[in-house]
Amino acid sequence: MEKLSIQDLHIVLVEPSDTQRKIITTLLLKEKVKEIDPVSTLAEAKAAIKAHGADLIVSAMYFEDGTANELLRFVKEHPDHASIPFMLISSENRLSKLEELKQAGVAAILPKPFEPLHLSRALNASLDLINHDELNLELFDVREVRVLLVDDSRLARNHIRRVLEGMGLERIREAENGAMALTLIKDESFDLVVTDYNMPEMDGRELSEFIRFNPATAHIPIIMVTSESADSAHMTNIQQTGVNALCDKPFEPTEVRAMLAALLGE
């Protein structure tokens, strides 16, 4: 499939403020985006996506008829739209309000106001989610790498799976928490574990400790994915559990590609 460039993107821009809509449209045009579908409400956004689809959704947080979280769920839960990258532009900075968006794998979160450079980076991050580049490994056929993906959020699992599949990984098993993951690990062999940190039943730290201190599984590389700050109190000692790499949510292809190349050998 031919790769898209920024100029090829069809963007649905969802912004309730006429002024902000014009400003963002102008900045997108300066980035050479040619096709922008501007709307102001959640209902208009859904109608535009249903009618014409989109390569990227650029959205504010709050509208008169709903929020970005509702729009995100609409997109991610519909098979025809689930792979569309989602970019948030908002002055909202409360982690509790942004958590669902981060869990679901937004391409980028930009503050208001933002610099043109930040928009350019966010557009390129979105393209990374659209354009699939298979990972080339010397030691493995990437299609044969056996991955265990562990996350209690279905939206997060769906996003991480799409990123991994975009790199050519096909053998992916899923678990909703650490306890379910342990059952799979006891019955099957894996080459890589990608796990969330915060989960019920058994969290990512406990799962990592079990994997690392069990002789039969101690060799398996572990990537831990978390929406918590890397320097938070919970995360300061996580490397001591034997985690090979920490990855922030959203799960970004460029960062993950480098991690996989280092862990599995490129």
Side-chain angles (χ1 to χ4, degrees), residues 21 25 51 55 63 65 89 131 136-137 142 152 165 171 178 210 218-219 223 234 241 262:
R21 204 161 54 247
T25 297
D55 297 313
F63 321 106
D65 58 345
I89 298 179
N131 295 324
N136 293 315
L137 302 171
V142 69
D152 60 312
E165 288 178 340
R171 300 180 64 180
F210 176 88
H219 65 283
I223 296 177
H234 285 114
T241 66

Side-chain angles (χ1 to χ4, degrees), residues 111-128:
K112 288 181 180 178
F114 58 86
E115 298 294 328
L117 176 62
H118 298 153
L119 178 61
S120 178
R121 288 175 178 169
L123 289 171
N124 281 301
S126 301
L127 284 174
D128 283 340

Side-chain angles (χ1 to χ4, degrees), residues 22 33 39 45 82 152 155 159 170 184 193 199 203 211 214 241 247 253:
K22 289 174 183 176
V33 176
V39 297
D152 60 312
L155 287 177
H159 172 69
E170 299 175 354
L184 292 174
V193 173
M199 294 181 292
D203 65 21
I211 293 171
N214 182 343
T241 66
C247 182

Side-chain angles (χ1 to χ4, degrees), residues 140-148 169 171-173 188-193 219-220:
F140 294 91
D141 177 347
V142 69
R143 290 175 292 275
E144 294 301 319
V145 173
R146 299 160 298 183
V147 181
L148 177 58
L169 290 102
R171 300 180 64 180
I172 303 172
R173 293 277 273 148
E188 302 178 36
S189 297
F190 294 96
D191 303 304
L192 175 69
V193 173
H219 65 283
I220 303 174

